[in-house]
Amino acid sequence: MKVLQKKGARVEVWRDQAELSLRAAELFTSLAYDCIARTGVFNVALSGGSTPKALYARLANEGETDATAWLRTNIFWSDERCVPPTDEQSNYRMAKESLLDHVPVAPQQVHRMRGEDEPGVAAQAYAAVLAENLAARDYRFGLILLGMGDDGHTASLFPHTPALDEMERLVAANYVNKLRVSRLTLTLPLINRASNIIFLVSGVAKADALQLILEGDSDGRAMPASLVQPTNGKLTWLVDEAAFAKIEAGTART
Ligand code: 6PG
């Protein structure tokens, strides 16, 4: 494993997705205990996509987080597709099947985005859920998990989309032209309030975007993941060697 600092963020390079997921489970568990010890509760926003699935399965099967910690954990999402919770595209469904069905969290601790509703209505409703659960804690998540697309998007903040300009609202219904769909997403002002943000990035398809974000002068609207800069929190990138390949090559050349 290699550790380096890039643009104020800690970057850990692991051999492959399995090692990266093991490390993510370790960090998830230690942050859970730390937050519960300090505040009595662990508010975490889960990421969608495929990369976190191995992490969720590890947390579910390896039991690194004990029951008392799960009972004090509130589960939210960083983004959601505008589909019903039973749809195979649903980020909620993926997390439910790989994690939530296997750990002792009660229904009232699970706060999903209602992808089945009209996107604008769903975004407003989720902002109300966040107000109810996080306003007293200054809307500060203990941990936000994020992934990154090969186009540099994160959560459902895609390049050159309207939600990137959202500076007031906590949750946005974001129309993504290239996908011809709306998505629900936490906005940058809310994401950047978190105490801890962890990116999980795996695979060679992400190497160009990762290099631009960690080393280049990327235009934030073109590379939204570069706009994730916690104002008073810790940013950690857990990446595998394939995703880090372009940076590695650059370093080797110098
Ligand atoms: C989603 C995600 C999205 C994801 C990236 C990476 O709903 O799709 O939240 O931001 O993290 O697209 O996806 P993979 O992990 O599948 O590469």
Side-chain angles (χ1 to χ4, degrees):
M1 192 270 284
K2 201 197 315 271
V3 179
L4 51 164
Q5 285 286 335
K6 289 276 182 186
K7 296 188 178 176
R10 178 184 170 89
V11 181
E12 295 185 7
V13 187
W14 294 86
R15 193 178 39 220
D16 54 25
Q17 197 181 91
E19 280 198 6
L20 183 159
S21 304
L22 176 59
R23 173 59 174 159
E26 211 177 75
L27 282 177
F28 184 104
T29 302
S30 62
L31 287 172
Y33 286 124
D34 174 54
C35 286
I36 291 165
R38 279 184 302 104
T39 69
V41 67
F42 179 49
N43 290 311
V44 58
L46 302 181
S47 171
S50 57
T51 308
K53 211 169 178 175
L55 158 65
Y56 300 158
R58 184 165 281 279
L59 289 170
N61 304 322
E62 307 288 324
E64 276 131 9
T65 310
D66 69 22
T68 49
W70 281 117
L71 292 171
R72 293 178 168 279
T73 296
N74 291 319
I75 310 277
F76 301 83
W77 275 261
S78 311
D79 74 320
E80 184 58 281
R81 291 89 183 268
C82 292
V83 294
T86 50
D87 189 289
E88 62 184 21
Q89 287 293 313
S90 162
N91 287 339
Y92 164 75
R93 177 178 161 183
M94 185 273 275
K96 182 178 182 300
E97 292 175 352
S98 54
L99 173 63
L100 304 177
D101 283 347
H102 314 282
V103 292
V105 286
Q108 61 272 24
Q109 295 169 249
V110 178
H111 308 280
R112 72 177 180 85
M113 295 179 172
R114 294 182 57 82
E116 67 271 35
D117 294 345
E118 191 280 324
V121 170
Q124 263 183 344
Y126 206 64
V129 167
L130 294 176
E132 200 183 315
N133 290 277
L134 287 174
R137 298 175 190 286
D138 201 24
Y139 292 100
R140 201 165 151 76
F141 278 98
L143 171 62
I144 295 185
L145 291 172
L146 293 173
M148 184 195 76
D150 54 13
D151 61 355
H153 82 260
T154 189
S156 279
L157 297 165
F158 284 79
H160 308 293
T161 54
L164 292 173
D165 304 318
E166 185 53 66
M167 290 304 136
E168 300 300 323
R169 282 180 289 180
L170 306 173
V171 189
N174 194 25
Y175 185 72
V176 184
N177 214 17
K178 75 172 191 181
L179 302 178
R180 300 250 179 288
V181 294
S182 285
R183 289 274 196 103
L184 300 171
T185 186
L186 300 184
T187 60
L188 287 162
L190 179 65
I191 290 173
N192 285 331
R193 293 176 92 96
S195 305
N196 297 279
I197 300 172
I198 298 178
F199 275 100
L200 307 179
V201 181
S202 163
V204 68
K206 313 279 174 83
D208 289 328
L210 191 66
Q211 185 189 33
L212 258 179
I213 288 165
L214 292 182
E215 291 196 322
D217 291 330
S218 55
D219 153 16
R221 294 184 59 73
M223 286 284 150
S226 68
L227 298 172
V228 175
Q229 298 287 347
T231 39
N232 176 17
K234 194 165 181 227
L235 177 58
T236 306
W237 291 79
L238 300 182
V239 307
D240 65 10
E241 287 172 3
F244 194 72
K246 288 276 168 79
I247 297 174
E248 187 68 64
T251 317
R253 269 197 303 280
T254 52

